């Protein structure tokens, strides 16, 4: 028996009733993803806070909460674009429970009648991925830029809100496949550093092209035709205006370059 039942105190009785009512209201819980259904965009989640049950003698014991099934996943999106993540088993998340039954909306979308009159129920959870406990916090979180990154920090795209610099770093390949055009506007420089840069397709350069000598010695290899409207200078010599000495005017041709 609850000790409060031994006292004839209406306030204690009311407080006990309110606490009991609050215990049936679910708002949000941290959880661990058990599986992810990419085609349905839903997760099965294990709540990480244990529940309590009371036996007939009034004794309480802790129990693992049941799995939360078919929880819709929140991915940031809008205007026809979405940022998705490859959710895997073991990822931590926050499950937020709707105040009313979501079944009809989830199945049909739009504005629907409630299929059931349950409220703040464990059946109506939404998964917000990315919440982390202390053992799983990210290392080297940038405090000056916005990043889309891997957990180990080996690859990221970042935007600096102060100098507006955009940086991309990866220990793997950087592949760009487009059916249209790529437009990049920068008041500063665009710098690409890689062991090899391969351009597959027609390349148009509206401006000077300078070939420097890097740490690997520099050099350029053309595997296709090169059409240049303006002059080309190589080794300080103009392709359009340079002359050759030691030749006699006439109808003959010079030999091949050597």
């Amino acid at each position: 028996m609850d000790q409060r039942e031994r006292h004839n105190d209406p306030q204690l009785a009311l407080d006990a009733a309110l606490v009991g009512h609050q215990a049936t209201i679910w708002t949000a819980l941290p959880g661990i993803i058990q599986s992810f259904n990419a085609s349905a965009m839903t997760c099965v989640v294990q709540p990480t806070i244990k529940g309590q049950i009371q036996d007939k003698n009034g004794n309480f014991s802790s129990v693992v909460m049941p799995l939360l099934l078919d929880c819709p996943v929140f991915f940031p999106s809008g205007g026809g674009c979405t940022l998705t993540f490859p959710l895997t088993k073991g990822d931590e998340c926050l499950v937020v429970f709707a105040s009313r039954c979501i079944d009809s909306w989830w199945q049909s979308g739009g504005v629907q009648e409630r299929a059931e009159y349950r409220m703040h129920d464990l059946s109506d959870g939404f998964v917000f991925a990315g919440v982390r406990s202390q053992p799983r916090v990210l290392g080297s979180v940038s405090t000056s830029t916005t990043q889309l990154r891997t957990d180990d920090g080996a690859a990221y795209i970042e935007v600096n809100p102060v100098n507006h610099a955009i940086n991309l770093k990866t220990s793997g390949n950087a592949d760009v496949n487009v059916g249209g055009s790529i437009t990049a506007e920068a008041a500063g420089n665009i710098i690409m550093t890689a062991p090899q840069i391969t351009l597959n397709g027609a390349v148009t350069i509206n401006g000077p092209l300078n070939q420097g000598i890097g740490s690997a010695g520099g050099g350029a290899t053309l595997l296709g035709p090169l059409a240049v409207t303006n002059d080309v200078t190589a080794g300080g010599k103009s392709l359009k205006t340079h002359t050759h000495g030691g030749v006699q005017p006439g109808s003959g041709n010079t030999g091949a370059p050597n």
Side-chain angles (χ1 to χ4, degrees):
M1 177 180 292
D2 193 315
Q3 293 298 318
R4 290 169 295 186
E5 297 179 13
R6 298 179 182 271
H7 301 279
N8 186 22
D9 189 333
Q11 185 60 49
L12 283 177
L14 179 59
D15 290 344
L18 291 175
V19 170
H21 176 66
Q22 283 182 306
T24 65
I25 300 174
W26 299 99
T27 54
L29 283 174
I32 299 175
I33 293 175
Q34 303 300 299
S35 64
F36 173 49
N37 185 335
S39 60
M41 282 182 58
T42 59
C43 279
V44 175
V45 180
Q46 174 63 66
T48 58
I49 307 299
K50 288 186 175 181
Q52 284 191 326
I53 58 174
Q54 186 179 23
D55 62 22
K56 62 181 180 181
N57 297 319
N59 299 315
F60 288 91
S61 60
S62 296
V63 295
V64 176
M65 298 279 287
L67 293 176
L68 307 178
L69 308 178
D70 294 327
C71 297
V73 175
F74 166 77
F75 287 139
S77 63
C81 296
T82 304
L83 178 62
T84 66
F85 305 95
L87 299 178
T88 58
K89 182 178 180 179
D91 286 345
E92 292 179 311
C93 63
L94 180 69
V95 184
V96 177
F97 301 100
S99 62
R100 298 295 185 270
C101 173
I102 66 172
D103 289 355
S104 295
W105 164 83
W106 181 66
Q107 292 175 1
S108 304
V111 180
Q112 304 293 337
E113 296 288 346
R114 282 186 287 173
E116 294 184 14
Y117 285 92
R118 61 178 184 254
M119 296 182 289
H120 302 280
D121 195 88
L122 291 174
S123 301
D124 302 311
F126 291 87
V127 170
F128 288 73
V131 176
R132 290 176 177 267
S133 59
Q134 284 300 299
R136 299 190 68 250
V137 295
L138 291 173
S140 303
V141 172
S142 175
T143 58
S144 60
T145 62
T146 297
Q147 291 187 338
L148 172 61
R149 53 167 284 178
T150 55
D151 286 355
D152 60 10
Y156 61 78
I157 300 173
E158 70 175 6
V159 179
N160 190 310
V162 177
N163 59 19
H164 303 148
I166 299 176
N167 298 317
L168 182 151
K169 177 184 177 182
T170 178
S171 57
N173 293 331
D175 298 324
V176 180
N177 293 282
V178 296
S181 302
I182 297 178
T183 301
E185 298 183 4
N189 297 323
I190 297 177
I191 300 173
M192 291 187 291
T193 302
Q196 179 175 313
I197 299 174
T198 302
L199 301 176
N200 297 317
V203 179
T204 300
I205 300 174
N206 297 318
L209 174 62
N210 299 315
Q211 167 65 45
I213 299 178
S215 59
T221 301
L222 298 177
L223 302 179
L226 175 64
V228 180
T229 301
N230 296 316
D231 197 3
V232 175
T233 301
K237 295 183 179 181
S238 167
L239 182 64
K240 295 179 69 174
T241 62
H242 81 283
T243 59
H244 295 270
V247 297
Q248 296 292 327
S251 60
N253 296 322
T254 63
N258 54 47

